[in-house]
Amino acid sequence: MWLVTYKGRDKEQLPGVLLPQNKILNIVKTGKKCGVYTGITSVRELLELEDDLEWLRHLLTKDELWVTEKKEECQLFAPVMNPEKILGVALNYKDFCARGGLELPKTLKVFGKYPTAVNSTGGSFCPCGRRTTYEGELGVVIGKTCRNIKAREAEEYIAGYTVVNDISANDRIKEDVQLFRGKNMDGALPMGPVLVSKDEIKEPMKLSVATWVDGVKVQDSSTDQMIFDIYQQIEYFSEFMTLKPGDVIATGTPAGTALQHDPPRFLKTGQRVVVEIEAIGKLETQII
């Protein structure tokens, strides 16, 4: 199942399902038509239901009652527009550390981003004169409330996966000797284009990850290069905080960020950044 947040004919942000026919299922109208409307108005609210998306799966069997819209006539947004928490992991790829001459970390290096950083697929980002870098990453979206979860149990609490670009201002990070300002510029977390439910991706730790800037491939790796896998990350975060449906974990970026090129490839006005993850899709951002 491919979940989206979109704006169609009604000019409202709505939760939808991207269908194979390149159409989007209007969940709200279809639910009303099928007599199972529950007042859901966002993907996050959908994930907060306690039935593991079974309500929606039931809706998808009623194809004769579907209300759909053409994808090309709709505007897509980040699949989860209002996450309560955005959690990030730094220095989490073996190839990133090798290229930078860094020792592999013994423990997770983490940070937080705020919802004001969330940006839509196909959206724009302004570096505001800062030295910013792209960071293509797998995004993990939590599907169930959890606390003190062990890695072996973590898969049960995942709703699905998306693509994120953890845009970071390297100069602010250097100035501050910490990550807060450098990670939290407005619009610095493009996300999308879809949230793919976990049942669609059998091996999330074997997905190709690539980033292009103006058609030049600058990152080319795989999630199997992670030092701490997605399940270990959920165990780590859930040990000290409650994770809730719709929370997003940006799981780390591979080699090839701006400072790992000579000369550095900081983002410039007019550039187009594309991050693609196997089985999920392409996330595009225009630098303005």
Side-chain angles (χ1 to χ4, degrees), residues 1-5 16-17 27 43 46-47 53 56 79 193-195:
M1 189 186 313
W2 290 26
L3 297 174
V4 296
T5 297
V17 178
I27 293 174
V43 169
L46 188 64
L47 299 178
L53 300 178
L56 184 52
V194 296
L195 166 56

Side-chain angles (χ1 to χ4, degrees), residues 58-272:
H58 172 71
L59 211 60
L60 289 172
T61 66
K62 307 291 185 179
D63 57 318
E64 72 281 3
L65 298 175
W66 284 355
V67 178
T68 62
E69 304 190 55
K70 295 180 180 178
K71 180 189 173 188
E72 62 268 21
E73 297 177 356
C74 297
Q75 179 183 0
L76 292 183
F77 298 89
V80 184
M81 286 295 293
N82 58 341
E84 183 176 289
K85 292 187 288 296
I86 303 162
L87 307 168
V89 179
L91 299 179
N92 193 39
Y93 270 69
K94 298 170 189 173
D95 57 1
F96 181 95
C97 292
R99 186 157 167 175
L102 304 169
E103 290 187 13
L104 298 185
K106 301 293 191 298
T107 59
L108 278 156
K109 310 296 183 184
V110 301
F111 58 92
K113 296 188 90 142
Y114 282 75
T116 46
V118 173
N119 200 341
S120 297
T121 181
S124 59
F125 172 76
C126 179
C128 299
R130 310 305 303 204
R131 293 187 173 189
T132 54
T133 181
Y134 49 84
E135 293 188 13
E137 308 190 11
L138 176 68
V140 175
V141 180
I142 299 298
K144 290 182 180 179
T145 299
C146 58
R147 181 79 160 81
N148 279 323
I149 298 303
K150 298 300 182 185
R152 63 179 178 274
E153 307 165 318
E155 196 271 342
E156 178 185 345
Y157 296 89
I158 295 172
Y161 306 95
T162 190
V163 183
V164 299
N165 184 355
D166 176 26
I167 296 175
S168 306
N170 288 141
D171 54 350
R172 279 195 168 129
I173 292 170
K174 185 176 181 180
E175 289 168 13
D176 299 347
V177 202
Q178 49 93 354
L179 299 173
F180 187 85
R181 282 201 309 156
K183 291 289 189 180
N184 277 289
M185 296 178 72
D186 285 349
L189 191 75
M191 186 193 318
V194 296
L195 166 56
V196 181
S197 58
K198 64 183 177 184
D199 57 295
E200 298 272 353
I201 297 181
K202 302 304 181 185
E203 296 187 282
M205 295 309 305
K206 292 184 179 180
L207 300 176
S208 62
V209 181
T211 303
W212 290 262
V213 177
D214 284 346
V216 177
K217 186 179 283 187
V218 290
Q219 291 184 292
D220 188 7
S221 188
S222 168
T223 55
D224 65 10
Q225 284 288 306
M226 284 190 199
I227 299 163
F228 301 97
D229 66 30
I230 59 178
Y231 312 112
Q232 292 170 302
Q233 292 177 39
I234 291 173
E235 176 177 330
Y236 177 88
F237 285 117
S238 72
E239 185 275 328
F240 63 91
M241 63 165 59
T242 299
L243 302 181
K244 295 184 178 181
D247 287 350
V248 178
I249 301 176
T251 57
T253 197
T257 55
L259 280 171
Q260 293 192 330
H261 290 270
D262 186 16
R265 302 185 69 106
F266 294 118
L267 295 174
K268 298 176 181 178
T269 299
Q271 290 182 325
R272 186 172 68 99

